[in-house]
Amino acid sequence: MTSLASTTNHQIRLARRPVGVPVRADWSFTAEPVAPPERGGVVVKTLLLSLDPAMRGWMNEGKSYIAPVAIDEVMRAGGIGVVVASESAKFAIGDHVSGALGVQEYASFGERQLGRGELVGIDLRVGSPTQWLNVLGMPGMTGYFGLMDVGQPKPGETVVVSGAAGAVGQTVGQLARIKGCRAVGIAGGPAKCEWVVKELGFDACIDYKAGPVKDGLKAHCPKGVDIYFDNVGGEILDAVLTRLNRHARIIICGAISQYNNTEPVRGPANYLSLLVNRARMEGIVVFDYAERFPQAIAEMAAYLKDGRMKSREDVVAGIDTFPETLLKLFRGENFGKLVLQVAQA
Ligand SMILES: NC(=O)c1ccc[n+]([C@@H]2O[C@H](COP(=O)([O-])OP(=O)(O)OC[C@H]3O[C@@H](n4cnc5c(N)ncnc54)[C@H](OP(=O)(O)O)[C@@H]3O)[C@@H](O)[C@H]2O)c1
């Protein structure tokens, strides 16, 4: 068994609630010894952490789908790790696992947490550790259930997805193609748009930084929009609302353009398009589908294996870079799923 007695756990905690874009002073950096696992529990060494736009919301006070991170609490983060000490029959030393590890080098899980399924084993023969945070992980599941359950795509329909080169977006567009739809992405900049079309096989991609999204939609969605998978909200949502088909479905997955607002979010001006087109807009929270993840993971793993699904991750090393690395999401500097590497596998 690895000796943990003299091992230090470096952690990043929320020091105060940010106003607007988070800054380094919103975080505190702590270190404490790693305690041995309690009876029935395990200690996990963090290898990779998932950096997600939702983290910005978790820093705010107020009611949401999940409680805010408390002041001085270790920042919440999903991740992949390896079991380094075990007093549990469920996990052995050396097992690779996925769970809410937090922004820290070591995470402890008690018997009760393990009983609730807070840690799940991952099979590295099915996908790499970074793929387990991307298409086989939370973002992939969000894309899968958002598109399939809420969007209910039919062959021949046109699916538009914003944040197309990001974690959720890459899954949505590729899955739309697999299901026989026309997939049109919206992303920032020529490099991302080119990758989405040439590598991922989207039918087209609109560079929202290069010109009006409305013009791009007119050019690339000649038959209108049947499904819009919204990752960004704001003006892009408003533009897509003007191109809806009858009975269109809009999946409200996220609104990253609004997350650092210091003023209240403004609703879409063009929402009456829902009335005219008998369309609907519906939110999704991925955790609602947890019981069905294994089936969706198996389907996605098969697409990865047969080459119909590709995945791209953007890995940045060093837990200390967390405050700045997180901001890449809001600046569009991540290309693919943003992952923080805490330790070598
Ligand atoms: N509902 C759920 O259960 C659930 C689960 C996971 C994620 N989400 C949501 O899904 C969305 C995508 O998450 P992700 O993890 O896949 O992130 P991501 O797309 O990998 O990264 C965020 C991307 O958003 C784009 N962006 C940033 N600011 C923008 C702005 N002002 N206008 C337009 N685009 C902007 C950037 O791409 P460009 O360079 O293309 O601008 C950036 O790379 C987020 O809104 C997130 O909150 C929801």
Side-chain angles (χ1 to χ4, degrees):
M1 188 195 271
T2 311
S3 167
L4 293 173
S6 54
T7 308
T8 302
N9 182 19
H10 292 98
Q11 306 158 317
I12 300 187
R13 296 169 185 269
L14 185 64
R16 63 182 190 194
R17 306 228 173 265
V19 178
V21 177
V23 295
R24 196 159 246 265
D26 295 327
W27 305 102
S28 63
F29 301 79
T30 56
E32 59 185 39
V34 181
E38 59 183 67
R39 191 140 58 93
V42 297
V43 175
V44 176
K45 180 180 178 181
T46 307
L47 300 178
L48 302 168
L49 290 175
S50 174
L51 299 198
D52 296 292
M55 288 172 147
R56 182 62 190 87
W58 303 339
M59 294 173 212
N60 294 338
E61 218 154 15
K63 193 170 172 284
S64 186
Y65 62 93
I66 192 170
V69 174
I71 298 300
D72 290 334
E73 192 183 339
V74 171
M75 182 58 195
R76 182 185 297 139
I80 300 291
V82 61
V83 174
V84 288
S86 177
E87 295 291 338
S88 163
K90 290 190 165 163
F91 296 101
I93 290 175
D95 283 355
H96 283 86
V97 290
S98 170
L101 305 182
V103 186
Q104 56 184 346
E105 290 174 314
Y106 292 87
S108 293
F109 290 80
E111 189 170 19
R112 278 232 226 115
Q113 289 168 291
L114 297 183
R116 287 196 295 261
E118 289 186 19
L119 212 53
V120 292
I122 58 164
D123 186 344
L124 297 185
R125 292 167 302 182
V126 174
S128 67
T130 58
Q131 285 173 334
W132 275 104
L133 288 181
N134 190 17
V135 293
L136 300 175
M138 188 276 289
M141 296 300 101
T142 306
Y144 183 93
F145 289 105
L147 181 66
M148 299 307 294
D149 268 51
V150 184
Q152 299 186 8
K154 293 171 202 63
E157 287 190 326
T158 297
V159 176
V160 173
V161 57
S162 49
V168 175
Q170 59 182 275
T171 292
V172 170
Q174 293 184 91
L175 200 54
R177 291 282 300 147
I178 290 169
K179 301 295 173 185
C181 297
R182 178 174 175 78
V184 177
I186 302 174
K192 288 186 180 181
C193 283
E194 188 178 305
W195 176 71
V196 156
V197 173
K198 291 204 174 137
E199 288 293 319
L200 302 189
F202 285 38
D203 295 279
C205 187
I206 299 162
D207 179 357
Y208 74 91
K209 291 181 176 168
V213 171
K214 252 187 186 179
D215 294 352
L217 292 168
K218 231 184 241 175
H220 298 298
C221 307
K223 295 187 191 162
V225 177
D226 298 297
I227 295 178
Y228 173 49
F229 195 108
D230 188 21
N231 284 318
V232 306
E235 288 171 17
I236 293 177
L237 170 59
D238 249 327
V240 182
L241 277 165
T242 66
R243 305 294 302 169
L244 295 186
N245 285 337
R246 196 175 268 209
H247 300 305
R249 288 82 75 199
I250 296 183
I251 299 126
I252 300 295
C253 174
I256 194 168
S257 71
Q258 308 297 309
Y259 291 174
N260 290 303
N261 277 1
T262 47
E263 287 170 5
V265 172
R266 280 230 317 264
N270 298 329
Y271 81 97
L272 285 177
S273 171
L274 299 174
L275 182 161
V276 175
N277 294 297
R278 291 79 158 169
R280 68 181 162 89
M281 211 156 155
E282 190 174 330
I284 180 198
V285 174
V286 64
F287 306 120
D288 294 349
Y289 297 89
E291 280 183 9
R292 292 168 58 198
F293 285 179
Q295 158 241 322
I297 289 170
E299 188 177 332
M300 299 287 274
Y303 299 144
L304 270 178
K305 201 169 169 201
D306 70 21
R308 282 191 283 171
M309 178 74 63
K310 291 182 180 153
S311 79
R312 177 170 184 152
E313 297 88 29
D314 187 343
V315 182
V316 178
I319 193 170
D320 290 345
T321 73
F322 168 75
E324 292 75 30
T325 304
L326 180 66
L327 300 186
K328 286 175 70 136
L329 292 167
F330 306 105
R331 296 180 179 142
E333 290 169 3
N334 62 306
F335 197 156
K337 164 71 198 152
L338 186 60
V339 173
L340 187 69
Q341 183 174 37
V342 175
Q344 290 285 348

